[in-house]
Amino acid sequence: MSTELPAWLGNDPGAPFPPVSRALREPDGLLAAGGDLSPPRLLAAYARGIFPWYSEGQPILWWSPDPRMVFRTDRVHLSSRFRRSLRGSRWQVRADTAFEDVVAACADAPRAGQRGTWITADMRNAYAALHRLGHAHSVEAYDDECLVGGIYGVAIGRMFFGESMFSAASGGSKVALAALAHRLRQWGWPLIDAQVENDHLLRLGAESWPRPRFIDTIDRLCRQPVAPEPWTERFGELPASALAAPAEAD
């Protein structure tokens, strides 16, 4: 175990983060501690490939792991069996119609090997503030009017930083993720940040990128002049059945 300590951030939301090259190798990606969760601080962090992740009772911890997991929006993988199951699906997918419900469901979802949640009350309030500013978004899968799955994250320029997803019915998170990728691909957004590797993400088509490649790519995408705004109207309503075709045919 490394005996190095991360940098400590002060109270000024405009104070710069240390270079991500200084992140610890053990634990992988730990860069800094302290600071706050104000919108300026969060937006500055995401644009530099940094995100907060900590548990109740800990100081705010900031991470930039190497390698980094990403989805290319044209390569999210749904199995042939799952796609076939969507052909007759009645589910509909929308955006920004239940942001706080999605965040709450993600916070309450059980995670293998974890006790409790990193989505604390302060984190919920912070992302709700970003949502009001048009930077944080949710994508929701509905069966009739029942929320069956969702994903939320942060948008800067033409880059989407995924934070968490949940299923209340089998396949709910897969549909939300695939619908998000479908729309982003249509809008010319090529990438979704998935943060840290796990087997579930790999099965869905996530790739492992060296951190320098990831940082260079998001720097370009975050600089694209896209105004923050609610996504409800722009996203529209997407039938889950539209996701039944292979991505190449979309």
Side-chain angles (χ1 to χ4, degrees):
M1 179 68 69
S2 172
T3 58
E4 295 180 82
L5 297 176
W8 188 265
L9 300 178
N11 295 324
D12 177 8
F17 284 91
V20 295
S21 60
R22 296 185 188 174
L24 303 184
R25 296 304 306 171
E26 181 62 39
D28 179 33
L30 181 58
L31 177 67
D36 63 12
L37 296 172
S38 65
R41 176 95 71 179
L42 284 170
L43 293 174
Y46 281 103
R48 291 162 177 78
I50 302 163
F51 59 88
W53 185 24
Y54 66 103
S55 299
E56 195 73 57
Q58 293 181 325
I60 300 170
L61 302 177
W62 301 90
W63 302 78
S64 185
D66 186 13
R68 190 71 163 245
M69 291 302 290
V70 299
F71 286 102
R72 301 191 200 205
T73 57
D74 62 349
R75 297 188 188 180
V76 171
H77 174 72
L78 300 178
S79 70
S80 298
R81 180 179 180 182
F82 187 70
R83 288 183 184 275
R84 286 195 299 271
S85 75
L86 293 178
R87 291 174 185 167
S89 175
R90 301 175 304 171
W91 291 6
Q92 299 288 331
V93 187
R94 307 167 194 150
D96 287 346
T97 62
F99 180 83
E100 294 191 12
D101 291 340
V102 170
V103 176
C106 289
D108 294 338
R111 311 285 175 182
Q114 294 183 6
R115 298 176 60 187
T117 179
W118 73 95
I119 308 175
T120 64
D122 286 344
M123 290 277 271
R124 294 192 200 192
N125 291 335
Y127 289 101
L130 283 182
H131 177 62
R132 290 191 292 272
L133 293 172
H135 276 292
H137 302 283
S138 59
V139 172
E140 309 100 16
Y142 289 95
D143 183 358
D144 196 3
E145 293 303 314
C146 180
L147 187 62
V148 294
I151 184 172
Y152 79 95
V154 176
I156 304 175
R158 288 197 299 119
M159 179 66 202
F160 189 84
F161 300 89
E163 269 297 310
S164 189
M165 56 186 179
F166 82 98
S167 291
S170 179
S173 63
K174 292 181 187 178
V175 166
L177 172 65
L180 169 65
H182 179 98
R183 280 290 189 252
L184 292 181
R185 184 170 67 255
Q186 290 179 331
W187 299 346
W189 297 38
L191 210 63
I192 299 170
D193 176 30
Q195 296 184 348
V196 180
E197 179 176 322
N198 65 50
D199 290 342
H200 179 61
L201 298 179
L202 291 171
R203 286 192 295 270
L204 289 171
E207 303 175 9
S208 181
W209 282 17
R211 185 170 57 209
R213 178 186 180 189
F214 175 76
I215 297 297
D216 287 347
T217 302
I218 69 165
D219 180 66
R220 173 176 52 83
L221 293 173
C222 288
R223 293 176 187 273
Q224 298 296 311
V226 177
E229 62 178 354
W231 279 2
T232 306
E233 184 175 347
R234 185 183 187 193
F235 192 97
E237 189 165 86
L238 178 67
S241 58
L243 306 171
E248 292 78 12
D250 288 343

